[in-house]
Amino acid sequence: MAHRTEHSPEGDLRRATDGAPQFEEPDPYQLVWMEELRELLRVPGVDLTVPEHVERLFVDWCCRWHATTPAERWDPLPSLTALGIAVGDLLRATRPDLRWRVVAGCSPTTLILADADDRPVASPLTDIATWWMARELAGISMLLTRLAVAPVLPSRHAPLLRPQRSRASSVV
């Protein structure tokens, strides 16, 4: 299933009265799309509930992609999206207050993790894509650790976390 491309009648991005993006629950089609992407990762020896397994898969695919000549590389978008969803699922397992949300009216579908008050907390799909292109290999563990020990305080808005460059080695 491909990214949804239809536009809402209200425009490309519905916004609340304060100008902030609105977030919605994933619809049934988006939930099926997310599950289909998870299936890309379900290979022998990979348990999607074990962070080290997901990170190992990320490192393997990232290294292979960067080692391939540019003309022969596969389109990384399905891999990146699937890995981002898996990382988001791992974050949700450690932070039950987080839930998948869709930025209303965005095309292609834009997923984030938000708290119960719809405050954005993490954008794991963006993080994965950033780490992949930068050849950063330790971002998943760092993100999981950072968010597990730093829950959002209910009295303030949480910023959308941006990936941080790790000090870990990158693919050469």
Side-chain angles (χ1 to χ4, degrees):
M1 179 180 266
H3 285 288
R4 295 181 52 203
T5 58
E6 63 269 22
H7 293 279
S8 69
E10 296 82 20
D12 288 335
L13 181 62
R14 288 188 297 260
R15 295 187 177 271
T17 55
D18 65 358
Q22 289 183 319
F23 305 111
E24 301 172 339
E25 295 289 329
D27 66 32
Y29 297 104
Q30 292 162 333
L31 293 171
V32 168
W33 168 71
M34 291 170 70
E35 190 56 35
E36 288 173 343
L37 286 165
R38 288 180 185 103
E39 284 300 315
L40 292 174
L41 306 179
R42 291 191 173 109
V43 296
V46 174
D47 180 346
L48 297 180
T49 65
V50 178
E52 294 79 13
H53 289 197
V54 175
E55 189 160 58
R56 185 175 62 229
L57 191 59
F58 170 82
V59 169
D60 179 45
W61 289 3
C62 182
C63 289
R64 288 175 193 240
W65 189 83
H66 282 285
T68 303
T69 62
E72 296 177 352
R73 288 179 179 161
W74 69 90
D75 176 7
L77 187 58
S79 304
L80 297 172
T81 305
L83 287 162
I85 290 169
V87 169
D89 291 343
L90 290 169
L91 287 167
R92 290 186 66 227
T94 61
R95 292 275 309 271
D97 62 313
L98 300 180
R99 58 191 175 152
W100 281 113
R101 302 297 277 166
V102 176
V103 179
C106 275
S107 180
T109 300
T110 302
L111 295 169
I112 63 151
L113 288 174
D115 66 11
D117 294 322
D118 266 354
R119 292 177 298 206
V121 175
S123 180
L125 282 71
T126 301
D127 293 341
I128 287 293
T130 301
W131 296 325
W132 181 288
M133 297 313 293
R135 303 175 191 177
E136 292 292 327
L137 304 179
I140 294 171
S141 296
M142 292 173 51
L143 178 65
L144 293 173
T145 301
R146 188 171 73 239
L147 286 178
V149 298
V152 176
L153 300 175
S155 62
R156 63 180 173 87
H157 282 287
L160 189 61
L161 295 177
R162 300 285 179 215
Q164 297 176 352
R165 291 198 53 94
S166 72
R167 294 177 197 240
S169 62
S170 61
V171 179
V172 178

